Amino acid sequence: MHYKEVIQSIKERREILKVTQEALAELSGVGLRTLKQFESGKGNPTLHTLQKLADVLGMEVCVQVKNIIRNK
Amino acid sequence: MHYKEVIQSIKERREILKVTQEALAELSGVGLRTLKQFESGKGNPTLHTLQKLADVLGMEVCVQVKNIIRNK
DNA sequence: TATAAAAGAGCAGTATAATGCACTATAAAG
DNA sequence: CTTTATAGTGCATTATACTGCTCTTTTATA
């Protein structure tokens, strides 16, 4: 996942859950300004920030070896 | 994946590939000091830093919905 | 045990992430 | 068009990630 895909996955998930940026900021403890910047494609969030957002959205950050073949 | 697991996955992968911190730092463009700090459990890397390390190690950073059931 | 390679830590400077506040832009509803 | 809710931006400050340099500690090998 590249940078923009990471952004997209968070943003899409937030929208699916019908949570506003403001609510997500509140719930996650991330500053609203930070979230806005992030979702508008600016900046370079820290792992901690990413995890706080992911947690609230029922998501998780992972680092894994590529080309994992999953038996579908 | 929590913070320490992220660290571990990177560190383990580096060791499996028998790459030194110095070599990984060179190859990824991340400062050696940064990598050392990261692997010793200190700090809070940015997404960009994580991705540079993951790339070189044939890994990827992803953010996904939890509880994905994979058919093993 | 001596030596060398790799990993970890202290210090200090620079770059930038995180933040709040105030303002603007956009979109939906009336 | 007006109102309201949500999203995005400019500016300034603070905290901290990133970095290099140097030194110490640990680990492996002769």
Side-chain angles (χ1 to χ4, degrees):
Chain A
M1 260 183 150
H2 289 35
Y3 179 69
K4 294 203 170 180
E5 292 172 299
V6 170
I7 294 179
Q8 258 317 99
S9 67
I10 297 261
K11 188 166 183 171
E12 278 174 14
R13 178 70 173 167
R14 180 179 65 76
E15 286 166 351
I16 286 170
L17 297 177
K18 301 202 189 306
V19 178
T20 64
Q21 289 179 339
E22 199 165 346
L24 177 55
E26 282 262 334
L27 292 167
S28 64
V30 170
L32 179 58
R33 195 58 175 62
T34 303
L35 177 58
K36 283 172 183 293
Q37 273 182 347
F38 172 60
E39 282 199 6
S40 57
K42 289 157 192 166
N44 176 23
T46 61
L47 176 56
H48 191 45
T49 295
L50 267 182
Q51 284 178 328
K52 284 192 289 190
L53 295 174
D55 277 354
V56 170
L57 296 171
M59 303 177 87
E60 69 169 347
V61 178
C62 61
V63 179
Q64 61 198 192
V65 177
K66 264 190 264 191
N67 302 321
I68 289 177
I69 288 141
R70 296 191 188 88
N71 310 302
K72 289 190 275 214
Chain B
M1 261 183 149
H2 293 314
Y3 180 69
K4 294 202 171 183
E5 293 172 298
V6 170
I7 294 179
Q8 259 316 99
S9 67
I10 297 261
K11 187 166 185 172
E12 278 174 14
R13 177 70 174 168
R14 181 178 64 75
E15 286 165 351
I16 286 170
L17 297 177
K18 300 201 192 306
V19 178
T20 63
Q21 289 179 338
E22 200 166 344
L24 177 55
E26 283 262 335
L27 292 168
S28 64
V30 170
L32 179 57
R33 195 58 176 55
T34 304
L35 178 57
K36 284 172 184 294
Q37 275 182 345
F38 172 61
E39 281 199 8
S40 57
K42 290 158 192 164
N44 175 24
T46 60
L47 176 57
H48 190 44
T49 295
L50 265 184
Q51 284 179 327
K52 284 193 287 189
L53 295 174
D55 276 353
V56 170
L57 296 171
M59 303 178 87
E60 69 168 349
V61 178
C62 59
V63 180
Q64 60 199 192
V65 177
K66 265 190 262 193
N67 304 321
I68 289 178
I69 287 134
R70 295 193 189 84
N71 310 301
K72 289 189 277 220

